[in-house]
Amino acid sequence: MWGRAALLKLRWLGTPEAVGQGAFAPLLSFQLIRYGSEMALHPDVARLAETLEAMTILLKLHGDNGWAEQIERCRSSIAQSDYHGVDRLLCLYGGMGSVNDVILQSGGVAPAEDNERFDALRTDAWKKTNALARDGARGNGN
C-alpha cells in the first residue's frame, strides 16, 4: 500500500510544446515514487483495525461473506483515518439482524470455539469503537 503520499512520475516522448498544444505524445515510461512517509495510525485505531480484520477472517472462513464485506468496509475506512468507518461500524451493532446476532456456522454446525472467539472480537470491537466515538465527540467540542 502506497498510502496517500505518492507521486506518479511520467516521462513523455516528444516535445513539451507538442503536449502543451494538446497533441498527446506517447508515454515512454511511468514510475510510482514515494515522496513522503505514510501517516502512522494512532495505536487505538490500529488495534481496532486488527480486531476488525480478525472478525473478517472468521466470517469468511465460515462463508458469511455479506457480514465480512461490511466489516471490511468499516476496517478499510478506519485504517485510512476516515471517521465514517466508526459511524458505519456502530450502526452495524444496532437492532434486530445486527452483527450482535451473527452465529458462525459451517455445514449446519456452529463451532463453539470459533463463536467464542468471534464473540470476544465483536465485544472488543464494540468497546474500541465506542471509545473512539467518545474521543471524537470530545475532540469536536460536543
Side-chain angles (χ1 to χ4, degrees), residues 60-137:
K60 286 182 179 180
L61 179 68
H62 291 279
D64 201 336
N65 294 325
W67 278 112
E69 288 174 15
Q70 290 188 61
I71 298 291
E72 175 55 27
R73 271 189 245 126
C74 296
R75 188 213 58 81
S76 179
S77 295
I78 290 166
Q80 294 174 26
S81 296
D82 182 351
Y83 191 81
H84 182 65
V86 170
D87 287 336
R88 190 179 320 147
L89 185 60
L90 289 173
C91 289
L92 295 181
Y93 279 86
M96 290 176 51
S98 71
V99 73
N100 289 320
D101 298 330
V102 171
I103 297 174
L104 302 175
Q105 296 184 22
S106 293
V109 177
E113 186 176 317
D114 286 353
N115 276 293
E116 289 169 8
R117 173 77 177 131
F118 186 76
D119 188 48
L121 290 167
R122 177 175 42 207
T123 301
D124 188 46
W126 170 254
K127 289 176 182 176
K128 289 174 180 171
T129 305
N130 267 316
L132 288 174
R134 282 190 308 273
D135 290 347

Side-chain angles (χ1 to χ4, degrees), residues 19-65:
V19 174
Q21 295 170 0
F24 293 97
L27 180 66
L28 177 63
S29 66
F30 69 94
Q31 181 180 15
L32 190 60
I33 303 169
R34 289 187 67 189
Y35 67 87
S37 61
E38 293 180 26
M39 183 177 74
L41 289 176
H42 186 279
D44 294 340
V45 175
R47 283 190 289 273
L48 174 58
E50 290 170 4
T51 299
L52 296 175
E53 185 173 10
M55 288 174 69
T56 300
I57 290 168
L58 272 173
L59 287 163
K60 286 182 179 180
L61 179 68
H62 291 279
D64 201 336
N65 294 325

